[in-house]
Amino acid sequence: MVTPLVKYFQFNKRKITEPPGTLIYVGEEKTEKVGITVFTFDETNYQERKVDDLNEIVIEKDNPTITWINIDGIHDTKIIEAIGNKFNLHPLILEDIMNSEQRIKGEELEDSIFLVLKMIYYRPNTKNIAIEQISIIFGSNFVISFQECPGDIFDLIRDRIRTGKGRFRKAGADFLAYSLIDTIVDNYFIILESFGDRIEEIENDLITNPVPETLQIIQTLKREIIILRKSVSPLREVINNLERAESELINKSTKIYLRDVYDHIVNVIDTEELFRDLISGNLDIYLSSLSRKMNEIMKVLTIIATIFIPLTFISGVYGMNFSHMPELDWTWGYPLILLVMGGVGIVMLIYFWRKKWM
Amino acid sequence: MVTPLVKYFQFNKRKITEPPGTLIYVGEEKTEKVGITVFTFDETNYQERKVDDLNEIVIEKDNPTITWINIDGIHDTKIIEAIGNKFNLHPLILEDIMNSEQRIKGEELEDSIFLVLKMIYYRPNTKNIAIEQISIIFGSNFVISFQECPGDIFDLIRDRIRTGKGRFRKAGADFLAYSLIDTIVDNYFIILESFGDRIEEIENDLITNPVPETLQIIQTLKREIIILRKSVSPLREVINNLERAESELINKSTKIYLRDVYDHIVNVIDTEELFRDLISGNLDIYLSSLSRKMNEIMKVLTIIATIFIPLTFISGVYGMNFSHMPELDWTWGYPLILLVMGGVGIVMLIYFWRKKWM
Amino acid sequence: MVTPLVKYFQFNKRKITEPPGTLIYVGEEKTEKVGITVFTFDETNYQERKVDDLNEIVIEKDNPTITWINIDGIHDTKIIEAIGNKFNLHPLILEDIMNSEQRIKGEELEDSIFLVLKMIYYRPNTKNIAIEQISIIFGSNFVISFQECPGDIFDLIRDRIRTGKGRFRKAGADFLAYSLIDTIVDNYFIILESFGDRIEEIENDLITNPVPETLQIIQTLKREIIILRKSVSPLREVINNLERAESELINKSTKIYLRDVYDHIVNVIDTEELFRDLISGNLDIYLSSLSRKMNEIMKVLTIIATIFIPLTFISGVYGMNFSHMPELDWTWGYPLILLVMGGVGIVMLIYFWRKKWM
Amino acid sequence: MVTPLVKYFQFNKRKITEPPGTLIYVGEEKTEKVGITVFTFDETNYQERKVDDLNEIVIEKDNPTITWINIDGIHDTKIIEAIGNKFNLHPLILEDIMNSEQRIKGEELEDSIFLVLKMIYYRPNTKNIAIEQISIIFGSNFVISFQECPGDIFDLIRDRIRTGKGRFRKAGADFLAYSLIDTIVDNYFIILESFGDRIEEIENDLITNPVPETLQIIQTLKREIIILRKSVSPLREVINNLERAESELINKSTKIYLRDVYDHIVNVIDTEELFRDLISGNLDIYLSSLSRKMNEIMKVLTIIATIFIPLTFISGVYGMNFSHMPELDWTWGYPLILLVMGGVGIVMLIYFWRKKWM
Amino acid sequence: MVTPLVKYFQFNKRKITEPPGTLIYVGEEKTEKVGITVFTFDETNYQERKVDDLNEIVIEKDNPTITWINIDGIHDTKIIEAIGNKFNLHPLILEDIMNSEQRIKGEELEDSIFLVLKMIYYRPNTKNIAIEQISIIFGSNFVISFQECPGDIFDLIRDRIRTGKGRFRKAGADFLAYSLIDTIVDNYFIILESFGDRIEEIENDLITNPVPETLQIIQTLKREIIILRKSVSPLREVINNLERAESELINKSTKIYLRDVYDHIVNVIDTEELFRDLISGNLDIYLSSLSRKMNEIMKVLTIIATIFIPLTFISGVYGMNFSHMPELDWTWGYPLILLVMGGVGIVMLIYFWRKKWM
């Protein structure tokens, strides 16, 4: 079945009646408690804890220790507001964070950078994709990341902090932010891989056994690719701007890594375009295979009908009850007429043979 | 039924014979009295009244009190002219206001900014959309808004002024103008939602029961989306220019809000493009489902016809009245021929089975 | 009938053998005498006359009196040459004026501005559109306009000069030139209106009674819209350049009016694009309605054939002349077989009913 | 027949194994002797001769006499090399000249300008188009032109030099180069005219008698238009750059003429785009006329079959040989059954009539 | 058979779990030993050897002798790492080299330039194309090239070094790098040629004998052209940037050659676009030939059926067993009815003839 459209696009009417800057969560309804995980680390140490009260977290401006606050859930107005107060964020930024329909964007704030990205998952059991909005705010020594629901996508990064693997512990907050982005972008390749697998499946089906369902699978893929494009295309510009930004928040050494992410994004977009071409090619094959099948059926009908209709007519003629039908009394009338019928049939078969209908 | 085109595009011939700058109302004919509502407010007080004579309104240049004049109807030449005189507007601006076919635009005038926008309504009873032109002029301490017909779209804003909710009473005329724009843009999401619902409906129909009417619904949607695009696309540029304008009329704090509106507009355009893709995908499904249905019908015809046409021929042969047909006198002739017929039929069924036509 | 292509595009072979700058008329052959009308006017007076000899016209450089020379016909080499000498124009400019296939363009000359525009008429009797090239040259106190054939399109402007209505008599040559352009652009709206009417007609036809002729009307419309686009699109750039030109020939007050014309042109282009979308939508409806009709026909054939072919077979069986066919001698054989036939027919009808073919 | 693709695109494998800058002729094999024609002329005199040895030609740097060397054939490595030495040209330029697959381009060299253009001929006998590469190098007082094969395309220019007609003799080498370009561009109009004629023919055919061959003619035209576009589109940029070049080799007075050529090129491109639209419109008509014809055929089949199949069944019933068929013995049985049959037929005809199938 | 998609796009999941900059080979699994070939040459001498240990290679900074290291295989992490250490390359560069899915790119590093290109082979035996990634790093006096697998593509260049042919031995490292690029780009023409041949084959097939397999060949070609485009399009920008780079690593004389390569790339892209147009044209021909064939089959069926069905009906009428059928006893009844049947048949044939169905 084609995934219902409404899954991907929810427009919350209630929102519209409120003045801009009002904090209202836009997305699937949720009641789970929002989890807040805090990592503090420098080159030598790291600390990891779950907090309930944001006031527990103290970030000193000139402290080289980096604090990463990860918030699992964007539906709790109070927590978002507290973050806003603590880090001095404009109400519109907070509104963007809480709106799971927010467009991908990057904004340089006074002393931090704000990013909205989309994580895309492929759910093998329901065979469709899910979108999750990830917002990231990072300053000179802190990173705040907002996930729509608790998930393990950043576990790899947590492990690297814990083990001190990679450049994490030595590098700044900008490198941590980059790593979060990189994780999200790497995930797109998994989606692309699943697309590739499904396109291959379709292609095999089209050749061996084209069925009506194929069209629906093609349509589902087509729209999932559209959704992927919508989530990735604007990101190219965002990362490009980040790389070129003259902000002091991004070190030169991190920019090389941002360039690398940019390359990956371009690669995703290219592959996505390629997949679109492939899918529309498959649609052509499918439609023309319908036509071809029709032709085949028509040919059989035509051959059978055009051979037997005239023969039936001949038999009909000699089934008439006229008193004076001299042929009927000939001794060889019956075999003769059978011969004539056979002849007519053979002539027609030759005709069809020549027309390459057989 | 497909909404008649002419509803959306009226070209008034009479207009063309007049010199440019002549004030003539272009739009549906109307005779209602034009209502003028005036709000004056500052941080502490607000006053609300309906006026008949524009001379009652006095706006002092350096007074921080903000005056919002809302005019419900653009068909009364006298009132528009009076506004023109009072606020010293070029005749071409007045002409634009009175022309309900005016293109969306933003213009910086000497000491005010002029905007033309399109409000879009979805009318559930007639199941089509309606366009209303909204013109806005704002200066340092006044906002004039022109609606084609009296409506309640700005009631939310009136309430916020009355209750002092949001930033309205504290902020300047630019924030009020922004709020009007924001209300119009927010409304596009309602339209998009209705589009989303109808596309979902179509998709369900296509799967469960594709009917010819579906094509017309698809076409109606397609053209309504075209109309939406025509109303929204130029707005992106207009708001972008407004945000980047160096005019003293727009405060820096308001620009952040304009950026937010800009984001919303881009979101509307993106979703509209997505919907266009989805609809053209549905068209493909519809057309191919027609083909497929045809194939199915042809298959049944072919199976029935190709099985019985040869059998009928055989029965025809033994219905001939030749005197010398030895088979007719065989005791087992009849059962034998029935067996032959059954055999022919079964062979054909097997053939069709193998061809996957059954 | 589809309007023959050659009507719109004539490539004059003879021309190619001549060196560039040679004055040769390119267009339909004509022999009428070219009419020259001269208007001279200032704020208080105006004079109107027809002249034969261009030497009668004297234009003094610093005289504020404005002279408008309108030339009805571009096929007389001598007159064009005389104009060229009098106003010191480059041979290539004269060549452009005489070439009715000239592309739309605007050029700033030494002390004048040269414009080539296309007037488009809709001829209701032949139901097709005609293109006429209008060239305009204007300097500080003169305007020369060239029409391909005598026409009344500028009569409105003549009237306004005579009555002193609008800003004509007070404004300069640039405003007169603007007025000529404005008249031509306003005319496009009449064409658009006729397109709108015809598209609406087609849509009604498609719903009530789709006929093969519809396709040809759609094709004619499609190509007329292409021709309109070809005539209007480059104009946008021309007028935009004119508005931004730093030439002293165009007053600031006139530029506001040029902006207005620009808006109109953009509106024409937008509507034309919309019409193209609508027409291609209609093409889809038409083609799918062909498919649908085919399906309907096939269904009837299939139902009739699949019901009666087996029944005919049964009757054929009992029409065979075998000596030993016990059923034939049963007393209730005939009614029984009729019942069997009826049963077969009803079963099939139920099958079709369930398949939603009826 | 569709013109074989390979005619237009030859990729010479041999070439690839040689280092860049190696002079190898790429194109159809040729053995004719290369003809070299030299024109020298100034305002008062001109001299015309054929030479074998390039050393005969002496060009003094400051001599105002203009030398035009026309070379008919690019397959003789020695001549091209000699030119290269004489005029001090980079090996890559010589390689470009000898490669008949070279892309259109314009390059400013040290003291000359190098252009590669494509001449397009329409060959009425084989009904297809041929491409010839023309390279032009011009300096302050010389022009060298390379044609692939001897031809008369530049005869017009030779005549103008001989008779001193036009500006040729007075103007510089740049004007001669311009004239060569102009001749090539003018020739495109002849091609466009032939396209126009053939499109008109197709349109007439489509209306009066659509045949399968039409599709092939449409395809041939489509690809010829593609080839034309490939030859003309890059030229726009080349001429535009030439016009804007600050090179001393191009006089201001010549630039006006280059602007004129530029206009012609834009006109060719516009018309070519128009033709593409027309042709794809014709393809639509053709395909839908196939569908329509099919419908018509099906209708006839359906009408005949659905009328006679039930009637045949009725006659079959009364052809059965049951002993007890009371109707058979009725005196009016036969006329009655004929009436019933007629009735059934008429009812069906009325049904078809109402369905608008007849 | 359509080449499986997965051949061209492998997304290595394992990779994603590693931090960026980790060296992991992405591509087909391989175990062959990586071959390292080193060429050192200056104007007078050259030396050629295979090495195992990179430490054997010594490159002195100011030595004019040029060293070319060619590495046949990118799957050995140790060698890539050693190169990285020796030439001081960023881990991300090394990662790019080892990732056979890397996008085409060019990057200016501190004292070298890094390029990623794609070599494309056509394998005649499997009738599909293969992609190989070639990375090139070059500095002032060294060039390092990485091939995915050992191959002979650069043998031409090796020969030229050995024989001192061309400019190789005299020119710098930049010219050697250019030569490698040139070899790769020249190879695209071989691919284009094979495409051209196959398109021509398809066109001949379509005319003489359209078969279902043609569609699959068309689809394969279409996707191979997509892959070619993906490999060539970004290269245009890369070479353009290289040509315009202000790096000291590229001599002015080499830039002329880079311009030449750029021209070739544009030519490849143009031809590839042309091929795409041709192929989609062929798809149209194929699909419409299916329709046409269908029509032809239908026509034969219709003619046979519509002629014989009424005749069969007539014979059926006179096969009825009514006691009172006066015609049956007429002496000339039988010949008369045969005449009637013949007449009906002839009338129908004339009808079909006129409808141009025969």
Side-chain angles (χ1 to χ4, degrees), chain A residues 103 105 215 294 318 328, chain B residues 263 270 288 295 298 321 323:
Chain A
R103 206 172 172 261
K105 70 177 197 181
L215 185 66
M294 181 90 167
Y318 292 102
L328 293 181
Chain B
D263 268 10
D270 280 5
S288 86
N295 265 17
M298 289 310 296
N321 297 321
S323 337

Side-chain angles (χ1 to χ4, degrees), chain B residues 274-288:
Chain B
L274 181 85
F275 281 0
R276 245 188 317 155
D277 281 352
L278 289 176
I279 284 174
S280 80
N282 286 336
L283 196 61
D284 284 349
I285 294 187
Y286 173 72
L287 291 177
S288 86

Side-chain angles (χ1 to χ4, degrees), chain D residues 95-107:
Chain D
E95 197 188 326
D96 287 348
I97 292 170
M98 291 194 75
N99 177 3
S100 70
E101 303 293 329
Q102 178 55 39
R103 208 175 169 259
I104 283 160
K105 70 178 198 180
E107 247 176 73

Side-chain angles (χ1 to χ4, degrees), chain A residues 296-302 304, chain B residues 295-308 352 357, chain C residues 302 306:
Chain A
E296 226 178 280
I297 293 175
M298 289 310 296
K299 267 193 273 182
V300 169
L301 175 59
T302 303
I304 297 287
Chain B
N295 265 17
E296 226 178 280
I297 293 176
M298 289 310 296
K299 267 193 271 183
V300 169
L301 175 58
T302 302
I303 289 168
I304 296 288
T306 47
I307 287 176
F308 286 102
F352 297 146
W357 293 358
Chain C
T302 303
T306 47

